[in-house]
Amino acid sequence: MKPIVYIISSILVVLMSVQTSRAQERESYADFSVTFAVGKIAIDTTYANNSDNLASMLQYLQSVRNDSICSLRSVLITGVASPEGSYQTNQRLAHKRAAALAEWIKAHADIDVATISFGDMGVGWQMLDMLTVGSKRLSSYAQSVSRILSLDSTQVAYGRNRTIDRRVLLLRRAHGGRMWCLLMRNAYPQMRMAGVRFKTVEEVGQPPKQQPTPPQAEPSSTPPDIDNQQADNKPALQPADVPPTEPAPWRRRLYLKTNAVAWAFLISNIAVEMDVAPHWSVAIPVNYSVWNYFSSTRKYRTLSFYPECRFWPNLNNSGLFVGAHIGMAYYNVAFDGKYRTQDRDGRRPALGGGVSAGLRKAVSRNQRWLLELSIGAGVYSLQHDKFYNYTNGLKAYTEHKTYWGIDQAALSLCYAFDLWHGSR
């Protein structure tokens, strides 16, 4: 009986010693992140607060290295994309952003590569929910976002053998598109990121403060200004601090337009405009008319082109704009006067160019239908023939002149197409 009691006592002593050893270790976590511009996978230290975040990360790792009772156990890296693009593209972006952060850490910090592992990749749905609740501008839509995100993640066809989460489509349509626009401005820029969580273990059995001599400055497991989460072994990414004034992300769009002012003069017209870069777009209006105004002596026949380059102060290429254009117009004009004016031999159009300014605003909830008001002025070289204004009237003379003044006036109805949903 005594040997059995002895064995049981020995086991209890061993278990108590193991438990005591575990109690003398404390796990700590520190999280850092970097953000990326739209569609980018390379770390830009000048973008947002990346420079400060990376400097804080290196400072933290140095403090761990200098701490004799603290050791780094694991490094978990996660990549995140915002939800605008297809599932396949967002997965690729998330993986490459995580890989870029891992390479940066390997190049700038003395870390055992074996301690680095990778977590979940893709769209940060939980982060989107958190950002919506925590934003004053989005708080009114928080319930709608939470309800949509609670639905099952079902992939639907998105063209070219790609798929998209149906929740993205629901977010786009909710509240007539207004909520999506606010998410684009206030949430999605913070979701284009890669995050890292450092797990450290600190030995707390014999703290240095019990030594008789004054201790050296003891590095803390949580350095200043670093969010250190404890007692939760699951990785939790924290979005980087992006200034609230960061401009809204840019979307490339194609616009089809028609000018009501030209239609009032029975001039058929259409214009195509395409966003080519943030703040910049290119427009090509075409006007065509072969009609008389109820009489052979009254007419305004024309075929004209006005290619234009526009600058938009707003990053989303909306609101006010200024532009520069060139113009070419064939014309045959008469207004019951003595003469009819036609470009020389029907082969010498008016040539010139000018500047313009205008305003474009959405008039529908889904931001597809827009109204545009614009006016322009320019200088043109004219060479035209003057004919007596009656049927088959003879040529009177040829005139060379320079015209300067208003050359555009438009009140246009526009419809916008998303050219590239792009990966964010």
Side-chain angles (χ1 to χ4, degrees):
M1 187 64 180
K2 290 184 178 180
I4 295 176
V5 173
Y6 177 76
I7 292 173
I8 294 175
S9 301
S10 300
I11 293 174
L12 291 175
V13 170
V14 171
L15 291 175
M16 292 177 63
S17 63
V18 171
Q19 184 66 25
T20 302
S21 176
R22 289 181 177 176
Q24 291 176 349
E25 291 185 350
R26 183 174 62 199
E27 295 180 352
S28 299
Y29 299 89
D31 298 286
F32 302 88
S33 61
V34 292
T35 52
F36 298 81
V38 175
K40 300 300 183 181
I41 58 175
I43 293 179
D44 182 358
T45 56
T46 64
Y47 183 72
N49 288 346
N50 285 349
S51 178
D52 292 340
N53 293 343
L54 292 172
S56 297
M57 180 198 304
L58 294 180
Q59 180 184 358
Y60 169 76
L61 292 174
Q62 183 63 40
S63 68
V64 172
R65 202 161 27 245
N66 294 338
D67 194 337
S68 60
I69 62 173
C70 185
S71 60
L72 182 66
R73 288 293 177 86
S74 66
V75 179
L76 181 65
I77 298 178
T78 306
V80 183
S82 53
E84 299 97 311
S86 68
Y87 169 82
Q88 291 78 9
T89 306
N90 286 333
Q91 287 289 314
R92 176 181 60 83
L93 276 175
H95 279 82
K96 290 191 174 183
R97 286 168 178 170
L101 181 56
E103 292 300 320
W104 194 95
I105 292 174
K106 292 176 186 177
H108 295 82
D110 183 15
I111 289 180
D112 183 4
V113 176
T115 63
I116 297 179
S117 60
F118 293 89
D120 296 335
M121 306 289 179
V123 175
W125 295 113
Q126 292 182 353
M127 182 184 296
L128 176 57
D129 198 11
M130 178 187 67
L131 290 172
T132 305
V133 173
S135 171
K136 292 183 179 179
R137 295 182 179 180
L138 296 171
S139 58
S140 59
Y141 297 107
Q143 186 175 359
S144 297
V145 172
S146 297
R147 178 180 54 81
I148 293 174
L149 297 186
S150 67
L151 301 176
D152 293 336
S153 175
T154 302
Q155 298 296 316
V156 297
Y158 194 55
R160 298 183 182 178
N161 299 321
R162 296 180 300 169
T163 60
I164 192 171
D165 194 314
R166 73 184 181 103
R167 293 177 294 180
V168 176
L169 304 180
L170 295 175
L171 287 171
R172 286 179 179 171
R173 293 196 292 262
H175 298 277
R178 295 189 301 276
M179 184 178 77
W180 181 262
C181 293
L182 286 175
L183 291 173
M184 291 277 290
R185 295 187 186 99
N186 301 286
Y188 295 164
Q190 301 179 63
M191 295 175 63
R192 305 176 190 120
M193 60 168 291
V196 57
R197 161 166 284 199
F198 296 104
K199 176 183 176 181
T200 58
V201 175
E202 182 181 359
E203 299 176 4
V204 295
Q206 296 179 349
K209 64 181 181 180
Q210 294 180 356
Q211 298 177 1
T213 57
Q216 298 293 326
E218 183 178 350
S220 172
S221 61
T222 306
D225 300 327
I226 301 297
D227 182 17
N228 182 16
Q229 301 180 4
Q230 301 180 2
D232 183 5
N233 293 329
K234 295 182 180 180
L237 292 178
Q238 297 295 328
D241 294 330
V242 178
T245 57
E246 182 178 347
W250 171 71
R251 291 185 298 170
R252 176 173 285 135
R253 282 184 155 193
L254 176 73
Y255 304 86
L256 289 182
K257 306 185 290 185
T258 189
N259 179 9
V261 175
W263 282 109
F265 288 91
L266 303 182
I267 302 173
S268 58
N269 66 93
I270 192 170
V272 178
E273 182 177 353
M274 184 176 70
D275 297 328
V276 295
H279 301 293
W280 296 97
S281 67
V282 173
I284 305 178
V286 179
N287 302 307
Y288 179 68
S289 174
V290 294
W291 307 105
N292 294 339
Y293 295 139
F294 313 108
S295 168
S296 62
T297 58
R298 290 194 302 270
K299 65 188 68 178
Y300 192 95
R301 299 182 177 185
T302 183
L303 173 61
S304 59
F305 308 87
Y306 294 92
E308 182 176 38
C309 179
R310 292 179 169 182
F311 173 78
W312 304 81
N314 189 305
L315 180 65
N316 277 332
N317 295 11
S318 62
L320 295 171
F321 71 86
V322 293
H325 59 270
I326 57 176
M328 180 182 73
Y330 295 91
Y331 53 96
N332 184 358
V333 182
F335 293 104
D336 263 350
K338 183 178 180 180
Y339 298 106
R340 174 176 61 86
T341 303
Q342 183 175 354
D343 51 89
R344 186 175 182 183
D345 298 327
R347 297 189 299 270
R348 181 26 172 105
L351 297 173
V355 295
S356 62
L359 172 69
R360 185 163 66 203
K361 287 291 186 181
V363 293
S364 67
R365 291 184 177 181
N366 61 5
Q367 309 292 310
R368 297 288 187 183
W369 291 99
L370 308 102
L371 277 181
E372 178 183 303
L373 177 65
S374 65
I375 191 167
V379 178
Y380 291 82
S381 171
L382 306 179
Q383 294 185 23
H384 47 241
D385 298 326
K386 291 284 190 174
F387 295 86
Y388 292 105
N389 191 18
Y390 54 83
T391 303
N392 296 323
L394 297 176
K395 177 179 177 180
Y397 61 93
T398 298
E399 185 177 47
H400 299 255
K401 63 184 299 184
T402 299
Y403 168 82
W404 62 273
I406 301 297
D407 64 347
Q408 290 186 29
L411 176 61
S412 300
L413 179 65
C414 317
Y415 187 81
F417 300 88
D418 285 328
L419 269 188
W420 178 62
H421 293 286
S423 310
R424 305 293 194 258

